[in-house]
């Protein structure tokens, strides 16, 4: 009997996928393409979330921005670094996405690009640096903290979970999954909060019961990255 015939083969398969996962330029490009697919599929849902407590166009804006990135990805080669891909995403989002999302996500990807520098592949340490720099860029731009009912409520748990997994010696795929899971829970946690930033803050307690759309799009982006563990 081989190990894969025994109970726990799923864990073995996951471990193999984790070991084979390489967050290089090709992976980074696939992440952005997958994000574009996910945001397009969730455009209406994100608009609905934003309609409840904002302008109602978050899904439209995010979809437009990521669709604008796709043709530019075709011009990149495997010699392009992951950081260069992230910088391309940043500049495109800043120039094409309206509302608060463009500057916030643009800054996040720009800071992330700076954090990973010219490395050819991201290990667990670089991934944590990427996530941390992205979160810090959003804080710098939007001045929000955890509990304000913003995308930071998804980003900060993601950073904390990724950092804890990396400190524990987990491989990069496990770190990525930890970040995605924490972002998902973080997005859910915004529902009972009173907003303290942005247009939603004008609603006071009427914002209670509604999920922050930025936290949801953050969750979608990080889940898209984690999904590539089984599709790389």
């Amino acid at each position: 009997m081989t190990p894969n015939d025994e109970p726990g083969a799923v864990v073995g398969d996951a471990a193999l996928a984790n070991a084979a996962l390489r967050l290089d330029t090709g992976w980074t490009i696939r992440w952005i393409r997958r994000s574009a697919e996910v945001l397009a599929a969730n455009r209406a849902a994100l608009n609905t979330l934003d309609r409840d407590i904002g302008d109602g166009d978050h899904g439209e804006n995010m979809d437009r921005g990521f669709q604008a990135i796709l043709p530019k990805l075709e011009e990149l080669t495997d010699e392009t670094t992951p950081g260069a891909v992230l910088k391309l995403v940043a500049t495109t989002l800043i120039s094409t996405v309206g509302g608060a999302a463009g500057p916030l996500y643009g800054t996040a990807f720009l800071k992330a690009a700076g954090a990973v520098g010219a490395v050819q592949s991201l290990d667990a340490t670089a991934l944590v640096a990427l996530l941390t720099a992205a979160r810090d860029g959003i804080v710098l731009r939007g001045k929000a903290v955890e509990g304000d009912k913003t995308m930071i409520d998804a980003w900060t748990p993601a950073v904390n979970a990724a950092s804890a997994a990396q400190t524990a010696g987990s491989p990069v795929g496990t770190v990525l999954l930890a970040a995605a899971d924490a972002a998902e829970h973080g997005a859910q946690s915004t529902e009972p909060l009173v907003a303290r930033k942005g247009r939603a803050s004008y609603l006071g307690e009427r914002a209670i019961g509604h999920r922050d759309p930025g936290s949801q799009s953050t969750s979608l982006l990080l889940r898209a990255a984690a999904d590539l563990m089984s599709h790389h």
Side-chain angles (χ1 to χ4, degrees):
M1 180 181 287
T2 64
N4 283 344
D5 293 325
E6 300 172 355
V10 173
V11 175
D13 290 346
L16 287 172
N18 208 338
L21 185 64
R22 189 165 184 266
L23 307 191
D24 56 8
T25 298
W27 179 90
T28 310
I29 291 172
R30 289 194 297 275
W31 171 31
I32 301 307
R33 284 177 175 153
R34 175 63 179 160
S35 295
E37 292 174 3
V38 170
L39 288 169
N42 286 273
R43 179 179 60 187
L46 289 171
N47 282 341
T48 297
L49 289 178
D50 196 31
R51 195 173 299 117
D52 291 335
I53 59 174
D55 294 330
D57 58 0
H58 185 62
E60 194 73 32
N61 287 336
M62 294 298 292
D63 180 40
R64 180 171 63 252
F66 274 77
Q67 291 301 316
I69 296 166
L70 293 179
K72 298 181 180 181
L73 295 178
E74 299 297 330
E75 303 169 9
L76 301 178
T77 67
D78 285 343
E79 283 68 45
T80 305
T81 62
V85 178
L86 297 174
K87 186 174 181 180
L88 172 66
V89 172
T91 55
T92 306
L93 293 180
I94 290 171
S95 64
T96 60
V97 178
L104 290 173
Y105 273 118
T107 300
F109 278 97
L110 191 61
K111 296 295 186 182
V116 301
V119 299
Q120 295 294 324
S121 183
L122 309 176
D123 60 10
T125 300
L127 177 60
V128 171
L130 182 162
L131 294 171
T132 302
R135 188 275 312 276
D136 292 349
I138 294 169
V139 170
L140 181 68
R141 189 84 188 200
K143 313 300 182 187
V145 297
E146 196 173 6
D148 281 348
K149 199 182 180 87
T150 71
M151 62 176 67
I152 293 302
D153 290 300
W155 276 103
T156 291
V159 168
N160 292 343
S163 180
Q166 185 269 327
T167 299
S170 298
V172 67
T174 300
V175 173
L176 188 54
L177 285 170
D181 289 344
E184 197 169 282
H185 290 301
Q188 293 169 358
S189 77
T190 65
E191 293 178 11
L193 298 178
V194 173
R196 295 197 292 258
K197 290 287 182 180
R199 183 175 291 274
S201 65
Y202 303 144
L203 298 177
E205 293 190 354
R206 286 178 294 163
I208 293 175
H210 299 288
R211 184 174 303 192
D212 174 69
S215 70
Q216 182 65 13
S217 59
T218 296
S219 174
L220 292 171
L221 289 174
L222 295 183
R223 181 59 65 191
D227 279 349
L228 294 181
M229 281 224 18
S230 58
H231 295 94
H232 69 281

